[in-house]
Amino acid sequence: MMKVSEVAALVGISVRTLHHYDEIGLLTPGHVTEAGYRMYDDGDLERLQQILFLRELDLPLKKIRDVLDAPDFDRERALELHRKLLLEKRDRLDKVLATLEKTIRHAKGEISMTNEEKFEGFDFSRNPYEQEARERWGDRAVDASNAKVQSLTKEQQQALGERMGAIYERLAALRHGPADGDEAQEAIRAWYEFLNGSFGHHYSLEAFKGLGQMYVDDERFTNNIDKHGEGLATFMRDAMAVFADRRNG
């Protein structure tokens, strides 16, 4: 048996996180002492390990709980699947890392890169937020989006990535100015049109505004967007809210 503080020290996560897992029914300790101490047994630690494996695959906590509590959950089969998915993720990251290293050498003037080489490793046929998107907008919307992207050629997917990157860079350059300014609103309009024209799914103004809020509420989105400029996710949220409110008003 281990106390919550001992489990936190063993795993490298905070006591607060373990308390949160308990509160939402994701990981409830099997034993509580008369003094009120939570005590974790080997079965609890195995479940915690499974939770952390699934977090590495970017699944939201609610989905992890549903998966682990499913009547047909098979731990051994799940471990084999996690291994397969993590190996695929590592392979994708290795390709992106190789492109990054080439880009660093290119920036130093050591080598030249073609436009095609600059985007090697980026895979728009896989969406790390797909499960969450299904929960928010439904299977039909996500399936339509996937079908749209998968129908594109490699060259078209590269062009899509270039357009997305260009919009991010444009917004990043404006992020220190007012979110309701003309330039910011023109740039966010381009983002709205890009999302609605590229992925086979139509975002209503309300959904677009909600998506902007998610850029800030979900640290995965925040971290990805802020790679283009610190504070960009917050700026985009504000600009998206203004864009939606003006057109709804």
Side-chain angles (χ1 to χ4, degrees), residues 170-171 178-196 202-212 234-249:
R170 181 182 177 187
L171 286 163
D180 60 353
D182 291 344
E183 287 186 294
Q185 286 302 297
E186 180 63 23
I188 216 67
R189 182 186 63 79
W191 182 240
Y192 179 73
E193 293 175 351
F194 173 79
L195 292 179
N196 278 324
H202 176 73
Y203 287 90
S204 67
L205 290 169
E206 193 61 31
F208 184 63
K209 181 177 179 179
L211 182 64
T234 299
F235 175 77
M236 289 184 68
R237 181 216 38 204
D238 295 344
M240 291 164 78
V242 170
F243 181 87
D245 289 344
R246 284 181 175 175
R247 281 154 183 77
N248 277 329

Side-chain angles (χ1 to χ4, degrees), residues 9-22:
L10 171 69
V11 179
I13 59 179
S14 68
V15 169
R16 181 178 179 181
T17 296
L18 290 172
H19 285 169
H20 179 60
Y21 287 176
D22 186 7

Side-chain angles (χ1 to χ4, degrees), residues 192-235:
Y192 179 73
E193 293 175 351
F194 173 79
L195 292 179
N196 278 324
S198 302
F199 299 105
H201 172 63
H202 176 73
Y203 287 90
S204 67
L205 290 169
E206 193 61 31
F208 184 63
K209 181 177 179 179
L211 182 64
Q213 185 61 47
M214 190 164 67
Y215 290 169
V216 175
D217 291 344
D218 190 321
E219 64 180 12
R220 295 168 299 170
F221 279 95
T222 305
N223 292 338
N224 273 333
I225 293 172
D226 280 1
K227 289 177 182 176
H228 297 273
E230 186 175 354
L232 178 57
T234 299
F235 175 77

Side-chain angles (χ1 to χ4, degrees), residues 56-82:
E56 286 295 321
L57 298 174
D58 298 316
L59 288 183
L61 294 179
K62 181 181 181 298
K63 180 60 180 178
I64 292 175
R65 185 185 63 198
D66 293 344
V67 169
L68 296 182
D69 290 342
D72 60 349
F73 177 73
D74 184 322
R75 181 170 183 267
E76 184 175 339
R77 185 173 63 184
L79 289 171
E80 290 291 343
L81 177 60
H82 297 339

Side-chain angles (χ1 to χ4, degrees), residues 68-133:
L68 296 182
D69 290 342
D72 60 349
F73 177 73
D74 184 322
R75 181 170 183 267
E76 184 175 339
R77 185 173 63 184
L79 289 171
E80 290 291 343
L81 177 60
H82 297 339
R83 179 179 181 275
K84 176 178 180 292
L85 293 174
L86 287 171
L87 286 172
E88 291 178 358
K89 182 177 180 179
R90 184 179 70 179
D91 182 59
R92 293 194 301 273
L93 289 174
D94 284 343
K95 290 177 180 177
V96 173
L97 181 59
T99 298
L100 176 60
E101 290 173 344
K102 283 184 179 179
T103 302
I104 291 172
R105 295 182 62 195
H106 173 71
K108 292 180 178 179
E110 297 176 358
I111 62 171
S112 297
M113 293 181 72
T114 65
N115 287 333
E116 289 75 17
E117 289 175 326
K118 292 176 182 177
F119 296 95
E120 287 181 355
F122 296 105
D123 185 357
F124 289 94
S125 67
R126 303 184 64 91
N127 183 355
Y129 310 112
E130 179 171 322
Q131 183 56 47
E132 190 162 347

Side-chain angles (χ1 to χ4, degrees), residues 113-166:
M113 293 181 72
T114 65
N115 287 333
E116 289 75 17
E117 289 175 326
K118 292 176 182 177
F119 296 95
E120 287 181 355
F122 296 105
D123 185 357
F124 289 94
S125 67
R126 303 184 64 91
N127 183 355
Y129 310 112
E130 179 171 322
Q131 183 56 47
E132 190 162 347
R134 288 185 183 279
E135 293 174 0
R136 287 175 179 267
W137 293 298
D139 290 338
R140 177 180 294 182
V142 176
D143 288 341
S145 176
N146 286 344
K148 173 73 172 180
V149 174
Q150 290 169 8
S151 70
L152 301 177
T153 66
K154 183 176 180 180
E155 290 74 19
Q156 289 172 324
Q157 289 185 21
Q158 288 177 344
L160 191 70
E162 290 176 0
R163 285 182 59 205
M164 179 183 292

